């Protein structure tokens, strides 16, 4: 789950899977002259990978030999699935599932219970015993997992084929590869990962989330929440995984991996922020398009040299993914479509991105459809704006293939699973939504991703979104998919050298030191000059405690950054945080844009008032916001129930 903190931070509709014309509803940016022509659509074959058999009786003993004659466990209809990455040989992928219906001990099958890590064959072969999957963590002795952490999310294999990062644990089969018959439960160890947050090394360590393994297998990227000023925040970090066989401080006092040489991927300097006051001209705002703003770390390039992250918007209300070189700090924008992008993976050769994106759903267009608005109100809105992407547990992601140069002109990527009739269970069934972290094969010819079927209460009943009955085996509501790029030739996986511990643009982390706050422009009246023409008059008001911005008001007068679109009108947003995870916005917009894409963004006379929990994505709004592009109106989604 991604979270873009406000202060801290389906195919393209109309032409699914094509690149020759702008999809209907997409307000494309002008072509960048220096970019090569957009790639043509390529052939893609999508199929489903096998999972353990499903039992509808999840009580003890419900997984009978009639359901699984091999006695190797069952899953329930809810599956508990989360796919991971490829093992280095390219013939299997990691995944998390939740086993159900196991018999009681001492039955040997009793070990197939609860959340576990499995590896799944992608080449049509089976493991000894006849299953296309193998459980790695089932039956691991308690002595081999002392101090382990409960969560097993985002299972990411190491390049040695012997270890998997899962949650805040490293699963290790010693000298054996995970897929080998010699990798039996008694040889598997589960070691916790600890992030020290005290000066003397005491305590259980800091809470970390959304871990991503660097391809060098030495470094780890992760995120950690902050709680200050009555609001939730977050920073991204990079650290070295250091095995500690006999720790003497901190808990657990068991063999573990410690995060050492940690860098917070943030610089507190005012001029390193995206929006700041020009120190030479105190009445002027500056927008630094090259600023590195890691709202949430999402992964790395396959050479390990770039970090990918959800960044501060480049255009107002448009949540995108960026990449920054860990040494030089050079930033590139990987996506720019107005819809929301979050989970991504970069190809082994670095030339392609596969992104889970809401494009085609029109979920975000009412907020972000008008292009080229400078990201000023985004000083207070990103947390709420990014949370609109889901309807509770229902996501609107579909996997999109985008070349290195990103969305541009009429090119808005290619939907990977576009081929299909959209019927229940089809690969492009809109009720089957993409989930986190698609992953490239080591040879660059395939991508594995997973989907979940919308289920109540995120659909059906009073909810405006309908439900459908699963067509999957046993009625399960999650599935593991593989997309093969049939015209591509396999290429050797890159050899990755260890990256440096030092990130020059970050800040070395000192355990126990105060957590910084993100600078923001203080109360005052400012002017932002358009790069081509016009100005924006900006008024900023802080809250009473001066811990955050309370209100931003902007008046645009013939404002243009590209010379192709001219913006006039007003926008005002007041933000509040009724609780740590809830964001409340009172938004008033009356914007008109002329030029290559005539557009308006208008709220009802009483304004648009949104209250949304950043963790549950329960959309509740009064009033309206409507963005109209070339005569096509985009409206907000209906309230969740």
């Amino acid at each position: 789950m991604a979270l873009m903190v406000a202060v801290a931070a389906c195919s393209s509709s109309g032409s699914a899977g094509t690149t020759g014309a702008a999809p209907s509803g997409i307000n494309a940016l002008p072509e960048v002259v220096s970019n090569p022509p957009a790639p043509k659509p390529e052939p893609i074959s999508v199929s489903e990978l096998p999972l353990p058999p499903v039992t509808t009786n999840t009580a003890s003993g419900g997984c009978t030999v009639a359901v699984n004659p091999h006695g190797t466990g069952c899953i329930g209809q809810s599956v508990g699935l989360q796919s991971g990455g490829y093992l280095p040989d390219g013939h299997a992928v990691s995944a998390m599932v939740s086993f159900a219906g196991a018999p009681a001990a001492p039955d040997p099958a009793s070990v197939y219970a609860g959340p576990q890590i499995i590896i799944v064959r992608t080449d049509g072969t089976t493991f000894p015993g006849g299953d296309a999957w193998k459980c790695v963590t089932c039956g691991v002795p308690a002595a081999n997992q002392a101090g382990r952490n409960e969560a097993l999310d985002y299972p990411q294999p190491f390049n040695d084929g012997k270890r998997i990062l899962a949650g805040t644990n490293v699963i290790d089969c010693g000298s054996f590869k995970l897929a080998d018959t010699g990798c039996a439960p008694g040889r598997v160890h589960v070691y916790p990962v600890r992030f020290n947050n005290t000066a003397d090394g005491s305590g259980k360590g800091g809470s970390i989330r959304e871990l991503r393994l660097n391809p060098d297998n030495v470094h780890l990227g992760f995120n950690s929440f902050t709680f200050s000023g009555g609001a939730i925040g977050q920073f991204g970090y990079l650290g070295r995984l250091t095995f500690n066989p006999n720790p003497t401080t901190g808990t657990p006092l068991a063999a573990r991996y410690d995060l050492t040489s940690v860098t917070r991927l943030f610089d507190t300097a005012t001029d390193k922020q995206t929006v700041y006051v020009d120190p030479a001209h105190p009445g002027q705002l500056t927008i630094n398009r090259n600023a590195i703003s890691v709202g949430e770390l999402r992964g790395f390039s396959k050479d390990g040299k770039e970090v990918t992250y959800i960044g501060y918007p480049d255009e107002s209300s448009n949540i995108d993914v960026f990449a920054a070189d860990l040494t030089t700090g050079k930033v590139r924008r990987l996506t720019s479509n107005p819809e929301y992008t979050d989970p991504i993976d970069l190809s082994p050769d670095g030339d392609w991105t596969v992104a889970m994106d809401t494009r085609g759903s029109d979920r975000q267009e009412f907020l972000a459809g008008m292009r080229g608005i400078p990201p000023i109100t985004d000083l207070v809105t990103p947390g709420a704006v990014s949370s609109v992407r889901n309807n509770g547990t229902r996501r609107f992601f579909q996997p999109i293939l985008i070349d290195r140069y990103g969305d541009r002109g009429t090119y808005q990527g290619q939907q990977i699973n576009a081929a299909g009739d959209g019927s229940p269970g089809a690969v492009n069934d809109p009720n089957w939504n993409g989930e986190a972290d698609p992953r490239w094969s080591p040879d660059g010819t395939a991508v594995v991703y997973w989907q979940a079927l919308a289920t109540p209460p995120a659909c059906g009943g009073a909810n405006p979104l309908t439900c459908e009955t699963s067509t999957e085996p046993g009625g399960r509501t999650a599935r593991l998919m593989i997309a093969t790029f049939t015209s591509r030739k396999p290429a050797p996986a890159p050899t990755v050298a260890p990256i440096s511990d030092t990130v020059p643009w970050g800040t070395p982390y000192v355990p126990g030191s105060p957590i910084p706050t993100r600078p923001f422009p203080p109360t005052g009246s400012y002017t932002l000059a358009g790069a081509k023409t016009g100005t924006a008059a900006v008024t900023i008001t802080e809250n009473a405690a001066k811990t955050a911005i309370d209100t931003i008001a902007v008046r645009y007068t013939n404002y243009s950054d590209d010379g192709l679109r001219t913006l006039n009108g007003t926008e005002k947003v007041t933000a509040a945080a009724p609780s740590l995870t809830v964001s409340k916005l009172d938004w008033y917009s009356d914007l008109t844009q002329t030029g290559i894409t005539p557009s308006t963004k208008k709220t009802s006379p009483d304004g648009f008032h949104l209250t949304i929990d950043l963790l549950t994505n329960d959309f509740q709004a009064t009033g309206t916001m409507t963005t109209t592009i070339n005569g096509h109106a985009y409206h907000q989604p209906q309230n969740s129930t």
Side-chain angles (χ1 to χ4, degrees), residues 110-166:
S110 64
V111 299
Y112 296 98
Q116 305 286 352
I117 297 299
I118 65 173
I119 53 177
V120 181
R121 291 288 193 192
T122 61
D123 57 6
T125 64
T126 60
F127 291 97
D131 290 324
W133 51 272
K134 171 186 177 180
C135 185
V136 176
T137 54
C138 296
V140 174
N144 288 13
Q145 47 184 329
R148 64 157 282 186
N149 296 306
E150 182 178 355
L152 294 172
D153 53 337
Y154 302 107
Q156 302 161 62
F158 285 70
N159 291 335
D160 57 18
K162 302 173 183 178
R163 295 175 291 165
I164 294 175
L165 174 74

Side-chain angles (χ1 to χ4, degrees), residues 191 242-250 252-258:
Y191 301 112
T242 303
F243 186 64
N244 186 349
N246 296 294
T248 57
T249 59
L253 286 175
R256 69 192 190 207
Y257 278 86
D258 288 333

